[in-house]
């Protein structure tokens, strides 16, 4: 993430890409992955301690995009049972490749086009990027057909960056009122991506905004809608997110190592670093 971006030093983008993420060494053995998981768990525990929260309130969701099935089997061997993927086709392909691991659960955490709802309905355990009623309707219809249900988080754009997906905070209340109609969706709370910035104050504001939105709406929504979950924080900012109330942190590079694909591939419009 761009917390590590080097700015104004007169180098080209391609020079930058090799410098941006020096902290994330590639982890390709079980020992390396275990070591990274342990160090992250330690940092999660310390952030909980600092903010007077219980460790059991915070779930680590390993984010496995671009990581092949062979390395994902290592994270499974290290005890992880949930994997987050940004793109549904990649998640589906891996779920087929790893179908022998029957207790592995897939969480789709990236923007979904309505015409791909069918794929999510078939295999995902969780979907963290719900941001339109059309998509809710299509997911519900496909889930009914599969006889399945799906845990869902509503994605909120807390940074007001036009490039980000998710609902504007002002639109969330009305949106939540419509969700009880979709009986296959088990709504659990909210997800956000913070501002891509080195300005920690402004990044933290995004996390605060999501928590305050949740707290404000908590008592006004239908009781069938849960609002406990706040999925926020990634490799570069998860401790701050926990201090502000995160219950799910989505962490990729700090477990597996830097990705070759720039983040702009997943979030069109952000600065390519
Ligand atoms: C890739 C991704 C993450 C994890 O980012 P890292 O920098 O690898 O920790 C979190 N959330 C979403 C939606 C992602 O696509």
């Amino acid at each position: 993430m761009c917390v590590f971006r080097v700015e104004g030093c007169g180098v080209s983008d391609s020079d930058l890409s090799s410098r941006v993420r020096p902290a994330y060494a590639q982890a390709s053995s079980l020992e390396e992955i275990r070591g990274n998981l342990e160090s992250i768990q330690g940092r999660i525990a310390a952030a909980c301690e600092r903010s007077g929260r219980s460790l059991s309130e915070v779930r680590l969701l390993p984010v496995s995009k671009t990581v092949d099935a062979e390395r994902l089997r290592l994270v499974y061997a290290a005890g992880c049972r949930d994997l987050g993927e940004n793109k549904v086709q990649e998640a589906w392909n891996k779920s087929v490749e790893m179908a022998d691991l029957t207790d592995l659960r897939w969480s789709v955490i990236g923007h979904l086009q309505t015409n791909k709802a069918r794929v999510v309905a078939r295999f995902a355990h969780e979907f963290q990027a719900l941001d339109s009623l059309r998509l809710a309707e299509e997911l519900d219809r496909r889930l009914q057909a599969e006889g399945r249900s799906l845990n869902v988080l509503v994605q909120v754009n807390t940074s007001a960056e036009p490039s980000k997906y998710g609902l504007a905070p002002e639109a969330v209340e009305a949106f939540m009122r419509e969700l009880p109609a979709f009986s296959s969706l088990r709504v659990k709370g909210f997800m956000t991506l913070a501002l891509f910035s080195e300005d920690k104050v402004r990044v933290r504001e995004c996390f605060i905004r999501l928590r305050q939105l949740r707290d404000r709406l908590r008592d006004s929504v239908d009781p069938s809608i849960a609002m406990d979950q706040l999925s926020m924080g990634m490799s570069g900012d998860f401790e701050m997110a926990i201090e502000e109330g995160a219950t799910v942190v989505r962490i990729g590079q700090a477990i597996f190592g830097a990705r070759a694909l720039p983040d702009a591939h997943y979030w069109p419009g952000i600065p390519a670093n």
Side-chain angles (χ1 to χ4, degrees):
M1 252 189 61
C2 63
V3 184
F4 297 96
R5 203 184 323 133
V6 184
E7 294 204 284
C9 49
V11 291
S12 72
D13 277 351
S14 59
D15 287 337
L16 271 177
S17 63
S18 58
R19 300 182 175 207
V20 241
R21 303 170 181 120
Y24 304 125
Q26 292 304 311
S28 32
S29 68
L30 181 56
E31 287 64 38
E32 286 166 335
I33 285 180
R34 266 209 187 111
N36 286 348
L37 285 168
E38 272 165 23
S39 123
I40 292 163
Q41 292 291 7
R43 289 165 63 190
I44 290 175
C48 284
E49 177 94 41
R50 275 199 298 283
S51 43
R53 301 186 58 206
S54 156
L55 185 56
S56 63
E57 287 172 37
V58 182
R59 170 164 69 106
L60 165 61
L61 177 63
V63 175
S64 53
K65 63 193 190 214
T66 76
V67 180
D68 61 23
E70 199 183 327
R71 277 206 292 162
L72 294 186
R73 286 179 186 274
L74 299 178
V75 85
Y76 180 90
C80 299
R81 292 296 176 268
D82 292 277
L83 292 177
E85 286 280 342
N86 187 291
K87 293 194 186 285
V88 66
Q89 197 58 49
E90 182 177 346
W92 166 255
N93 292 344
K94 287 175 183 172
S95 79
V96 170
E97 223 175 320
M98 301 169 74
D100 54 307
L101 307 179
T102 50
D103 57 348
L104 190 56
R105 292 178 301 221
W106 295 91
S107 178
V108 175
I109 61 177
H111 179 71
L112 186 68
Q113 287 170 323
T114 312
N115 63 10
K116 305 234 177 84
R118 184 175 45 88
V119 188
V120 167
R122 199 180 294 164
F123 80 105
H125 172 74
E126 177 180 66
F127 175 57
Q128 295 203 356
L130 185 64
D131 63 357
S132 81
L133 286 178
R134 223 166 68 93
L135 182 56
E137 207 174 315
E138 186 62 11
L139 276 171
D140 189 51
R141 193 166 74 82
R142 297 293 185 173
L143 286 160
Q144 306 270 358
E146 298 278 344
R148 297 185 76 235
S149 57
L150 182 68
N151 292 339
V152 162
L153 301 182
V154 172
Q155 184 174 356
V156 182
N157 181 348
T158 53
S159 67
E161 286 172 302
S163 59
K164 294 275 175 59
Y165 299 114
L167 292 169
E170 314 79 69
V172 173
E173 184 169 5
F175 186 77
M176 300 307 280
R177 286 220 191 87
E178 304 291 334
L179 295 184
F182 308 110
S183 58
S184 305
L185 304 182
R186 288 193 299 243
V187 182
K188 302 287 185 188
F190 300 109
M191 183 271 250
T192 201
L193 284 161
L195 189 73
F196 283 83
S197 168
E198 293 171 56
D199 183 341
K200 292 196 169 151
V201 174
R202 293 177 65 211
V203 171
R204 188 181 287 272
E205 278 168 4
C206 295
F207 298 142
I208 295 174
R209 209 165 283 142
L210 194 68
R211 183 190 68 227
Q212 289 181 338
L213 180 72
R214 190 267 317 265
D215 292 348
R216 190 166 62 75
L217 299 184
R218 209 168 212 169
D219 297 326
S220 65
V221 294
D222 189 272
S224 69
I225 303 287
M227 306 259 254
D228 322 317
Q229 301 285 316
L230 293 180
S231 173
M232 55 190 197
M234 323 197 319
S235 291
D237 55 18
F238 69 90
E239 287 148 303
M240 201 194 284
I242 290 170
E243 288 163 13
E244 298 305 339
T247 65
V248 182
V249 290
R250 311 178 305 267
I251 300 184
Q253 299 179 90
I255 299 174
F256 298 106
R259 280 183 296 275
L261 276 171
D263 286 340
H265 175 75
Y266 296 95
W267 306 297
I270 68 162
N273 58 3

